[in-house]
Amino acid sequence: MSTTMNIKKTLKSNTIFIALVVVMLFFQLLITATGNGSLFSPGNITNIINQNAYVVVLATGMLCCILTGGNIDLSVGSIVCLVGAIAGTLIVNLGWNIYLTIFLCLIVGILIGAWHGMWIAYIHIPPFIVTLAGMLLWRGVALIILNGLTISPMPDGYLALFSSYIPVISEERWDADFDGAKSSIYAVTMVVALLCCAAYIVMEFVSRNNKKRKGYEVPGMAGFVIKLVLLSAVILFVANLLGQDQGLPIILVIVAVIVAIYAYYTKNTVSGRYLYALGGNAKAAQLSGVNTDKVMFFAYTNMGFLSAVAALMCVARFNSAAPTAGQNYEMDAISSCFIGGASAYGGTGTVSGAVIGAIFMGVLNNGMSILGIDSNWQKAVKGLVLLLAVLFDVVSKKRKGGK
């Protein structure tokens, strides 16, 4: 295959990433032209990360559900509300230990996910019905716990787990040596970014060599190198902006770890590939010896767990547990997956695509908010973008002779 064909194939496989870059540049031009600041200001990039961390986590879990055959989970927003209500009640009202409460909240999320998974996988009730019931049930339980009231504020020890920055600079250091503190933040942030780039490049080369050794088709070297250079440049660019602000948000580190684990799981493990097999052809997967009920049960149990993680993040971000928490979060997660390339029929999609889709939605929200666009128009635009993403998937399937 020629170098030109390799580059074209690489560009085609990274369409959503290119679209994200184009949209960000478009908003930057509009924001600059209207004198509303800059999309790429250090403080705004930090805000985008903090505001959309929960979407990335939920989209990662939602992808596993969608892979099983285009199935979704409508209950995630209600689970976020319920777990947040439990966290606020235990920590603030009852004075429980922070770490014990976090552990119990994660267990609650897993149990809720397992409850859904049992009805879906073993009783074979459609996921839409089960999770729709869960959306109503868990929201109601959360409102009962909160009694319609907001619980706040959360203790500083809890907030530090999700809302602090790396490196940690004391107030005394800021007061004594402001310039030195800023220099330390920038240096640490860039060093971490360089290490991440190096680790990413090494892992990509190792993965490529393993695939070649096993006889799998791999992209051409030119396209492969271009992809590595571009993504490394993006990492360094974002790190440069974060280093000029407060450093690396700890929430970004948590999200990066979650994304890395699930990306490896779905790409490089047998059980992870079962998700794709189930979505691609459930009957064929069963005949091949795949326990499809177990795979479906895992997908929804895992969704409950990641919903609990997102809930803990949201409680820290808003410094409260509120009855309105989690509203429409399921829509953000579902939209992120489909915009990121997941198929509406299942069996196709990647964690990295879901992450890019989540960032895409975050940039849309942030850019339109900076421009002062009415919230009703923002919803209309997001709905249109989602429809176009699914339309693109359907048309592509028909062209390939699929469903």
Side-chain angles (χ1 to χ4, degrees), residues 287-331:
L287 293 173
S288 299
V290 177
N291 188 334
T292 54
D293 289 346
K294 185 177 179 180
V295 174
M296 188 69 80
F297 180 80
F298 163 78
Y300 281 89
T301 302
N302 175 69
M303 187 72 256
F305 166 71
L306 289 181
S307 297
V309 174
L312 296 172
M313 292 178 175
C314 291
V315 169
R317 180 189 164 213
F318 297 114
N319 195 17
S320 66
T324 56
Q327 288 185 345
N328 295 325
Y329 281 15
E330 58 277 352
M331 299 306 166

Side-chain angles (χ1 to χ4, degrees), residues 7-75:
I7 294 174
K8 286 183 178 179
K9 189 174 181 179
T10 300
L11 292 176
K12 187 176 180 180
S13 63
N14 292 280
T15 303
I16 183 60
F17 178 73
I18 296 171
L20 172 62
V21 173
V22 171
V23 167
M24 293 185 76
L25 293 176
F26 173 73
F27 273 119
Q28 174 64 15
L29 290 174
L30 287 180
I31 292 170
T32 302
T34 55
N36 289 313
S38 172
L39 183 72
F40 295 112
S41 67
N44 192 52
I45 295 298
T46 300
N47 287 336
I48 290 176
I49 292 172
N50 290 330
Q51 290 169 2
N52 295 280
Y54 77 90
V55 183
V56 175
V57 173
L58 292 177
T60 301
M62 191 67 71
L63 176 69
C64 295
C65 297
I66 291 173
L67 288 176
T68 62
N71 301 305
I72 56 176
D73 189 334
L74 295 174
S75 67

Side-chain angles (χ1 to χ4, degrees), residues 68 81 83 94 112 120 171-172 238 246 273 290 299 305 308 316 358:
T68 62
C81 185
V83 173
L94 301 180
I112 292 175
I120 293 168
E171 292 185 9
E172 294 77 10
V238 172
Q246 301 178 71
R273 301 309 297 179
V290 177
F305 166 71

Side-chain angles (χ1 to χ4, degrees), residues 92-286:
V92 178
N93 292 353
L94 301 180
W96 280 36
N97 178 271
I98 292 172
Y99 299 101
L100 175 60
T101 300
I102 290 174
F103 175 75
L104 290 176
C105 286
L106 295 177
I107 295 298
V108 168
I110 292 172
L111 291 175
I112 292 175
W115 170 262
H116 292 163
M118 177 191 70
W119 296 109
I120 293 168
Y122 299 111
I123 312 299
H124 301 293
I125 299 176
F128 181 88
I129 301 300
V130 173
T131 58
L132 177 61
M135 179 176 70
L136 301 173
L137 171 61
W138 308 125
R139 176 71 63 176
V141 174
L143 294 177
I144 291 171
I145 293 174
L146 293 172
N147 196 27
L149 303 175
T150 297
I151 298 175
S152 65
M154 302 300 290
D156 292 339
Y158 180 85
L159 298 178
L161 295 175
F162 299 96
S163 304
S164 57
Y165 295 84
I166 300 175
V168 177
I169 304 294
S170 65
E171 292 185 9
E172 294 77 10
R173 172 79 185 279
W174 281 112
D175 295 336
D177 185 13
F178 179 81
D179 292 336
K182 293 290 290 184
S183 298
S184 297
I185 289 174
Y186 186 82
V188 170
T189 303
M190 293 308 297
V191 168
V192 172
L194 288 170
L195 291 175
C196 289
C197 289
Y200 167 71
I201 292 171
V202 169
M203 288 190 294
E204 286 294 309
F205 270 104
V206 169
S207 176
R208 175 185 169 85
N209 290 335
N210 288 338
K211 288 180 180 178
K212 288 183 66 175
R213 189 172 63 252
K214 295 176 181 178
Y216 294 119
E217 183 181 356
V218 296
M221 182 57 73
F224 178 71
V225 171
I226 289 174
K227 177 183 175 182
L228 294 182
V229 171
L230 288 177
L231 289 180
S232 297
V234 169
I235 292 173
L236 293 175
F237 176 72
V238 172
N240 173 62
L241 294 175
L242 294 177
Q244 295 177 47
D245 190 37
Q246 301 178 71
L248 289 172
I250 194 69
I251 199 73
L252 177 61
V253 177
I254 296 172
V255 169
V257 171
I258 291 173
V259 168
I261 290 172
Y262 281 87
Y264 180 85
Y265 175 78
T266 53
K267 288 176 61 177
N268 299 298
T269 67
V270 174
S271 55
R273 301 309 297 179
Y274 283 168
L275 294 167
Y276 291 91
L278 177 58
N281 191 321
K283 291 293 183 182
Q286 281 182 317

